[in-house]
Amino acid sequence: MPLFINRDQIFAHQVHLLEHKLRSKEERILELETENAILHLRLAECLGKLRRDHEKETKALKHHLQQRNAQKITHSALAKLLSEVQAVKQDLSELFAVYLSFSTELEEQSKQLLDKVQQASCSLKGDCGEEAQDLQAVVSALERSLEEERERCRAERQRRKELHNTLVELRGNIRVHCRVRPVLPFDHVPSSTPGSWPALSEEVVSTVSDDTVMVNCIKPGMPVHNKMYEFERVHGPEESQDAVFEEVKPLLTSLLDGYNVCIMAYGQTGSGKTHTMMGSQLLEEHSRGQQRAQPGAEQGIIPKAAAELFRMISEKPADSHTVEVSVMEVYNNEVLDLLAKDAQGNPVEQRCDVITTSNGASQVIALKYQPVRDASEVMQILSRVLKLRAHCPTLVHPDSSRSHLIVTLTISSKSPNALALARRLQSAKKDMQLAAQKEWWSPRCRRANLAARKSSEDHLFASTASSPSRSPSHSPCPSPRPSVSQALFKTKLQLVDLAGSESVGMSGVSGAALWEVSCINRSLSALSDVLGALAEQRPHVPYRNSKLTHLLQDAIGGDAKLLVMLCVSPTQRYVTESLQSLGFGTRARQVQKELPRRKGNPLKVK
């Protein structure tokens, strides 16, 4: 039976299929148009963000250029001011020399005239003639002129001190010097991969000028990038120990003017810290167990500072100053007294605690102080205690110091000058204000009202200015702290040789020495945190995170004049540690000490 197919049905079926395909294509076209719209929106958003970022970058570049211009103007103004101050200081020195010679001549003439008067009086036997009267008048006039010149000399000397302190303050609150050591034999270490670039012994740290150091940051496959660092003074490898000390010596003048001074050497192991502070031959004596005099050219900052200090004291009145020395080391975050001895006089390990007194100063309990009369006694003590300092050989240095060494020279003055006395009274007033804020109440001693306390303070300062031996006995509640005038005026010279910072892999130590490296790095990290908090003027300064920072709290954050001597290695092998040391010095320069503080919002110290 034949099969008949309706052509209309076939055409209808084909039309239905075509309509279905058409709808599918239209839906696909709609989806593509939607995606296209979304992509256009994203493109518009990205273009807007790119335009905003470009505007921000342009503004930031303009702001950076403005800051650089302002910094250049400030630096030029400061340099001009420094040159003017130095010129005035030179003029005052010449004027002082003229006054001194004139005063000496007047004294000699006065003595000669007095001798002539005595001879004339003896020859005349009591009968004063006209010649004797003229001589006496001349002598009186000369004595008055001599007294006037002495007063002018004292005034000029006081002005010189003020200008000197102003000059030191203009150089920075924390002065940072940098010393680049020369390339030494142990720097020539063969590379692990022969033919690699750059070589480990290649010099990448160099001095550009006397205040700028440059570091070549060389990386394989990358262009050479130079980093520049500016400090108050930069010493190159060719500069001697004398040149380094000449930049440090002006701080010793401030020491006898009533300021505490701290000189601190910072750097990695093997960068020359102990050589800078002690001197090379003193280290050789320590390693060989010998004692011999070392020439001045090989001495470090500590021997030269001791000699200069006693030289300046010798120009003062006899017995007006006494000096005591104490030597400590911070080993594994413990403070050890290196001068402690047992009953038989043998050295003994004695741990000391660091506390904070009521006036905010740090103090070491049971620390031994030894009186010294000249610089040779100081060096004898140092030669003896260097044998007790913790040392350990590492891959970086065969005799690496494992502790922070703090040598303190305490100068006690029996006749403080006017500037020191003013600072002494100011410190006493701050102590009284601090005690008044704490409001010490006792059931046996009821503090009087505010008016009585004010009168007590007035009486204290009046008695201090008038009679040094009196004490404020009229206070309604006498303080257990002695009077300002009863104690000697003391200043401190702290000379710090910090242990070197190093990575565990480079030092190659293990066991107990590994714990030593950890303690050293943690204490140096705490020191960096303290400087960062001071530079950013944070309300909390973490002094007590380490015994080292707690011990140096007065030098870092107080009114002491602090100089940080950065010691860096010049070769590519230690470029990471050198960059870290230079960054530490940059942060230290940003610290602004002696900031005015509100009475109700003091800095918190933990």
Side-chain angles (χ1 to χ4, degrees), residues 279-350:
S280 59
Q281 290 202 359
L282 186 61
L283 298 179
E284 293 176 1
E285 293 173 12
H286 157 61
S287 60
R288 299 175 184 175
Q290 301 174 355
Q291 287 192 4
R292 61 177 181 271
Q294 56 177 332
E298 295 298 328
Q299 290 181 343
I301 291 177
I302 294 180
K304 289 180 180 294
E308 178 66 15
L309 174 62
F310 281 101
R311 186 196 66 79
M312 292 190 297
I313 291 178
S314 65
E315 298 176 354
K316 304 294 181 180
D319 299 330
S320 62
H321 294 77
T322 57
V323 181
E324 295 176 323
V325 63
S326 63
V327 185
M328 299 169 284
E329 71 169 351
V330 180
Y331 176 67
N332 289 347
N333 205 30
E334 293 289 342
V335 179
L336 305 179
D337 186 2
L338 297 183
L339 296 183
K341 297 181 180 179
D342 56 12
Q344 287 75 27
N346 299 319
V348 61
E349 181 177 301
Q350 178 177 339

